[in-house]
Amino acid sequence: MLKRTTILILCLISIGANAQDEKWDPETLKKARNAHQINYLTEVEKDVIFYSNLVRMNPPLFEKTFLLTYIKKNDIQPNKWIRSLKIALRKTKPMEQLTPKEDLFQAAKKHAIDMGKSGKVGHKSSKGKSFNDRFKHLRKSYNQLYENCNYGLIDGLSIVCDFLIDEDVKDAGHRKTLLNAELRYIGTSVRPHKEYLTNCVQDFGS
């Protein structure tokens, strides 16, 4: 699931606590912010987990609030990826929030730093190690392991919405991973990138 490499820098201020939140019940928002007290995460990484949780916990409401705001602020015209995303969110049943795990964070951080320094993209390390090789040490802890990679975006909402829209990704693999109810744990790292300024790696486990 290789994300498109066209840089997409958006002038969008993250909206973690504003009028959008008023449409969400406080308990859901509290559960979604389960990474906000973790000191090894940056604020952007915490926001990525926050929005990832919100879209899982109430997909239809996410479409009507944060996704709609994102589309309007960035003047994104209707297209087949937006249409398919809206259909998917309306059909997806609510699920549990993702629990942050430090071992998944360390795996995501290592790959994000590697890709950033080398200027490469995708799931293969700069030394040629495949996703499966990179995750051998975690196979005893998790039944399933998935990874999302994103380039050129600087705030949590933009990153999550871009994963969900998944433009030019044939199987919408990033979206499917985010909305996979079997996945229960997450590690997220956002680091500088040599070619695209930033890159985000999400690692998931069940």
Side-chain angles (χ1 to χ4, degrees):
M1 295 187 296
L2 175 61
K3 192 62 177 154
R4 71 184 188 280
T5 59
T6 302
I7 189 168
L8 182 59
I9 299 295
L10 300 175
C11 296
L12 175 66
I13 298 173
S14 183
I15 48 176
N18 62 9
Q20 294 292 328
D21 286 2
E22 295 175 5
K23 298 178 182 179
W24 292 76
D25 69 273
E27 187 61 27
T28 298
L29 292 172
K30 181 179 178 181
K31 288 181 178 179
R33 290 192 175 100
N34 61 356
H36 276 54
Q37 300 302 316
I38 298 177
N39 58 18
Y40 60 75
L41 294 173
T42 66
E43 291 305 311
V44 175
E45 290 163 351
K46 293 174 184 179
D47 281 348
V48 170
I49 295 174
F50 172 64
Y51 292 115
S52 297
N53 281 337
L54 284 184
V55 72
R56 289 168 60 89
M57 297 171 76
N58 195 331
L61 183 56
F62 189 91
E63 182 218 334
K64 295 175 183 177
T65 55
F66 292 106
L67 178 64
L68 180 61
T69 297
Y70 173 81
I71 290 172
K72 287 182 176 180
K73 279 186 175 292
N74 292 286
D75 193 26
I76 300 174
Q77 299 304 307
N79 57 55
K80 62 181 180 180
W81 298 285
I82 296 292
R83 287 192 291 270
S84 69
L85 172 57
K86 289 183 176 181
I87 292 171
L89 293 179
R90 292 166 189 173
K91 289 183 176 180
T92 301
K93 295 180 180 179
M95 61 195 86
E96 291 295 316
Q97 73 270 29
L98 294 159
T99 299
K101 299 286 284 187
E102 188 167 5
D103 54 357
L104 291 175
F105 163 75
Q106 292 296 341
K109 177 183 175 182
K110 183 176 181 180
H111 190 56
I113 291 174
D114 180 33
M115 293 295 94
K117 289 182 177 179
S118 67
K120 294 181 179 294
V121 299
H123 304 285
K124 185 177 289 188
S125 76
S126 62
K127 295 182 179 179
K129 292 182 69 174
S130 68
F131 171 81
N132 287 330
D133 288 337
R134 290 193 293 108
F135 279 83
K136 278 184 179 179
H137 66 293
L138 293 175
R139 293 294 177 186
K140 292 183 179 180
S141 301
Y142 301 96
N143 294 323
Q144 300 181 74
L145 289 162
Y146 286 81
E147 184 171 77
N148 282 346
C149 299
N150 176 284
Y151 308 92
L153 299 175
I154 59 176
D155 68 273
L157 180 61
S158 295
I159 290 168
V160 171
C161 286
D162 197 56
F163 278 137
L164 291 168
I165 295 170
D166 237 7
E167 184 174 344
D168 291 333
V169 179
K170 187 175 180 180
D171 64 351
H174 303 95
R175 178 194 306 169
K176 290 177 180 177
T177 297
L178 264 178
L179 300 179
N180 185 342
E182 294 182 3
L183 300 177
R184 301 297 304 276
Y185 307 102
I186 187 172
T188 293
S189 183
V190 180
R191 302 288 155 170
H193 194 278
K194 184 178 180 179
E195 297 294 329
Y196 299 105
L197 300 184
T198 62
N199 74 133
C200 173
V201 177
Q202 289 184 314
D203 287 333
F204 302 87
S206 68

